[in-house]
């Protein structure tokens, strides 16, 4: 599913709104959301110029749009010590010195790492006629945009995708100067006043990530698992211990011990392109004697994920913590009964028994019970298939995030 980020469609005006769009290490294996949002912005007469800190390592991605995305992206991550120091000295110390005094050498190091990239971002945006950048991160990418703002007046906004503790130091500095911010869940939004105090921006919008509900759709009706046939399970997520794939494997072992012919495919790769947690997870699979029943697919394309979803009876992701979960949304959009763990912001997406099933994290037995429940009850499977998709269409379409971003940038007075 290859889509263009910047389009020249006949219905578009000749002078579309232009924004910068900054994503760390793009394209990553979970970055289909960003690609869809940029495409949706293009449909709304918004031209996006892609920036990133660095490209991904080999073996980490397999999207059919990856090469196009890399070709369209300007990478800012090259370390230039002298340029970095000169750039930081161009910014008045009153902007960042109190934050360094409060947070110490780690923040000063990050400022020096980011300063040259900030200069490059500011100059590139000036050349391209871009006056606003949206940053899909609160890590160093947000610090790059903060420094660029103080270099040239470039406005910026940020999105918080998970717990703020995941995004390093300098949060007050990053948020204090943002024109607005979006946060993917109400739970994360509620924590911000205590975390940021007076540095909280005036405009904060709760905006979940989204999926392309038109592309992620079925052409044929969902068919539940039939008696005496294998139960096809599918999961999709980065290979990391916190994603709980090992718990899902244990659930498959329990199901097979109960007499259910359950099989599982897991799409996703570790952060080292297959040289990290992948091997440990495979050893866990072998120890459970599931070599013939569980398959680690590695990094696969979005189209392959869709095909796996359309042939699955049940989707399950056993994360120990999940800020929200695009993988859940994709499964629900495809009408696949979905099992999630009651962690992070997932309860804002899935209501147990209504549009999916919820189990506690780190509980393989509960996972096995939920899978068995859906496999034994075709009426429940059909119900979850229908209600799951209905919810995502109404609340999690990727165009909703694009609409929010365009509206908020226009509020700043950036003309079309």
């Amino acid at each position: 599913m290859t889509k263009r980020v910047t389009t020249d469609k006949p219905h578009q005006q000749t002078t579309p709104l232009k924004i910068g769009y900054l994503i760390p290490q793009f394209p990553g294996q979970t970055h289909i959301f960003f690609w869809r949002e940029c495409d949706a912005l293009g449909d709304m007469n918004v031209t996006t110029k892609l920036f990133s800190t660095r490209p991904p390592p080999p073996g980490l991605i397999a999207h059919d749009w990856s090469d196009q995305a890399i070709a369209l992206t300007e990478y800012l991550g090259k370390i230039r010590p002298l340029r970095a120091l000169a750039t930081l000295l161009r910014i008045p110390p009153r902007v960042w010195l109190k934050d360094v005094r409060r947070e110490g050498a780690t923040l000063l190091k990050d400022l020096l790492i980011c300063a040259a990239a900030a200069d490059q971002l500011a100059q590139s945006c000036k050349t391209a006629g871009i006056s606003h950048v949206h940053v899909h991160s609160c890590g160093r990418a947000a610090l790059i945009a903060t420094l660029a703002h103080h270099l040239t007046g470039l406005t910026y906004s940020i999105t918080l995708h998970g717990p703020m503790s995941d995004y390093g130091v300098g949060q007050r500095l990053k948020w204090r100067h943002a024109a607005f911010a979006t946060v993917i869940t109400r739970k994360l939004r509620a924590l911000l006043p205590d975390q940021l105090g007076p540095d909280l921006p005036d405009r904060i919008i709760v905006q979940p990530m989204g999926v392309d509900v038109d592309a992620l759709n079925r052409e044929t009706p969902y068919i539940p698992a039939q008696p005496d046939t294998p139960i096809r399970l599918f999961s999709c997520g980065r290979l990391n211990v916190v994603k709980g794939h090992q718990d899902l494997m244990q659930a498959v072992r329990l199901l097979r011990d109960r007499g259910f012919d359950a099989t599982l495919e897991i799409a996703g790769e570790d952060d080292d392109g297959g040289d990290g947690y992948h091997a440990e997870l495979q050893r866990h699979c072998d120890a459970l004697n599931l070599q013939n029943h569980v398959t680690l697919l590695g990094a696969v394309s979005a189209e392959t994920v869709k095909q796996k979803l359309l042939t699955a009876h049940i989707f399950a992701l056993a994360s120990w913590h999940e800020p929200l979960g695009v993988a859940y949304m994709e499964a629900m959009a495809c009408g696949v009964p979905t099992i999630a763990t009651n962690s992070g912001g997932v309860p804002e997406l899935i209501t147990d028994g209504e549009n999916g099933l919820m189990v506690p994290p780190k509980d393989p037995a509960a996972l096995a019970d939920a899978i068995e429940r859906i496999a034994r009850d075709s009426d429940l499977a059909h119900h979850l298939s229908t209600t799951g998709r209905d919810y995502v269409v109404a609340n999690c379409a990727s165009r909703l995030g694009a609409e929010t971003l365009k509206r908020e940038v226009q509020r700043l007075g950036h003309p079309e």
Side-chain angles (χ1 to χ4, degrees), residues 279-359:
E280 183 176 340
L281 201 57
Q282 186 61 58
R283 286 193 294 271
H284 185 70
C285 176
D286 296 344
L288 293 171
N289 197 26
L290 291 173
Q291 301 94 323
N292 298 324
H293 312 292
V294 173
T295 304
L296 300 180
L297 300 172
V300 298
S301 69
E303 188 59 37
T304 298
V305 169
K306 177 183 175 181
Q307 292 307 315
K308 294 295 183 181
L309 285 169
L310 295 178
T311 58
H313 295 125
I314 298 168
F315 177 86
L317 181 60
S319 292
W320 294 357
H321 181 82
E322 192 72 47
L324 190 58
V326 170
Y328 294 131
M329 297 178 195
E330 291 179 338
M332 295 162 73
C334 286
V336 185
T338 296
I339 300 171
T341 47
N342 189 355
S343 63
V346 178
E348 296 183 30
L349 173 65
I350 294 177
T351 302
D352 185 42
E354 184 174 315
N355 59 0
L357 296 186
M358 296 275 277
V359 299

Side-chain angles (χ1 to χ4, degrees), residues 107-385:
L107 177 56
L108 181 59
K109 178 183 176 182
D110 276 7
L111 286 166
L112 289 169
I113 289 172
C114 295
D119 192 29
Q120 181 181 339
L121 174 67
Q123 296 306 317
S124 293
C125 286
K126 184 177 181 180
T127 300
I130 292 170
S131 54
H132 184 85
V133 171
H134 183 70
V135 189
H136 263 297
S137 172
C138 293
R140 284 177 176 167
L143 194 55
I144 290 170
T146 302
L147 296 177
H149 165 71
H150 288 286
L151 288 168
T152 62
L154 180 75
T155 61
Y156 72 96
S157 50
I158 55 180
T159 293
L160 180 64
H161 286 278
M164 194 175 289
S165 57
D166 290 349
Y167 294 99
V169 296
Q171 292 302 324
R172 286 179 174 268
L173 174 60
K174 297 166 188 175
W175 288 74
R176 182 162 65 243
H177 302 285
F180 65 89
T182 64
V183 185
I184 65 168
T185 66
R186 296 187 300 274
K187 182 175 182 179
L188 289 171
R189 171 64 179 87
L191 298 173
L192 292 181
D194 288 340
Q195 293 170 329
L196 296 173
D199 296 316
L200 193 70
D202 292 334
R203 292 284 296 174
I204 300 179
I205 304 95
V206 176
Q207 180 59 64
M209 297 172 290
V211 297
D212 187 339
V213 295
D214 295 324
L216 292 168
N217 199 2
R218 311 187 73 93
E219 294 182 359
T220 58
Y222 167 77
I223 300 175
Q226 302 300 304
D228 303 320
T229 61
I231 303 168
R232 295 189 299 274
L233 306 173
F234 180 64
S235 188
C236 182
R238 181 169 52 97
L239 300 192
N240 185 289
V241 66
V242 300
K243 290 296 184 179
H245 297 308
Q246 65 280 4
D247 298 332
L248 189 53
M249 288 182 181
Q250 184 65 48
V252 172
R253 180 71 272 167
L254 292 172
L255 286 166
R256 296 195 67 82
D257 291 344
R258 296 176 190 177
F260 287 91
D261 185 8
T263 64
L264 169 65
E265 292 183 305
I266 301 174
E269 193 52 272
D270 60 48
D271 292 334
D272 298 315
D275 295 328
Y277 187 66
H278 188 132
E280 183 176 340
L281 201 57
Q282 186 61 58
R283 286 193 294 271
H284 185 70
C285 176
D286 296 344
L288 293 171
N289 197 26
L290 291 173
Q291 301 94 323
N292 298 324
H293 312 292
V294 173
T295 304
L296 300 180
L297 300 172
V300 298
S301 69
E303 188 59 37
T304 298
V305 169
K306 177 183 175 181
Q307 292 307 315
K308 294 295 183 181
L309 285 169
L310 295 178
T311 58
H313 295 125
I314 298 168
F315 177 86
L317 181 60
S319 292
W320 294 357
H321 181 82
E322 192 72 47
L324 190 58
V326 170
Y328 294 131
M329 297 178 195
E330 291 179 338
M332 295 162 73
C334 286
V336 185
T338 296
I339 300 171
T341 47
N342 189 355
S343 63
V346 178
E348 296 183 30
L349 173 65
I350 294 177
T351 302
D352 185 42
E354 184 174 315
N355 59 0
L357 296 186
M358 296 275 277
V359 299
K362 304 184 183 181
D363 194 338
L367 270 170
D369 291 345
I371 293 167
E372 181 177 347
R373 181 182 170 191
I374 294 174
R376 287 186 179 277
D377 189 340
S378 61
D379 289 340
L380 174 63
H382 277 298
H383 173 76
L384 297 179
S385 170

Side-chain angles (χ1 to χ4, degrees), residues 35-85:
W35 192 247
R36 289 174 180 140
E37 185 169 84
C38 285
D39 194 69
L41 285 165
D43 289 338
M44 298 173 189
N45 199 37
V46 179
T47 296
T48 52
K49 178 173 172 57
L50 289 166
F51 295 94
S52 184
T53 51
R54 63 188 187 278
L60 192 60
I61 53 171
H63 308 301
D64 57 2
W65 48 269
S66 297
D67 290 343
Q68 183 185 6
I70 290 170
L72 289 169
T73 300
E74 180 176 341
Y75 292 99
L76 307 169
K78 186 176 180 180
I79 303 299
R80 305 176 180 89
L82 293 179
R83 182 177 177 183
L85 181 59

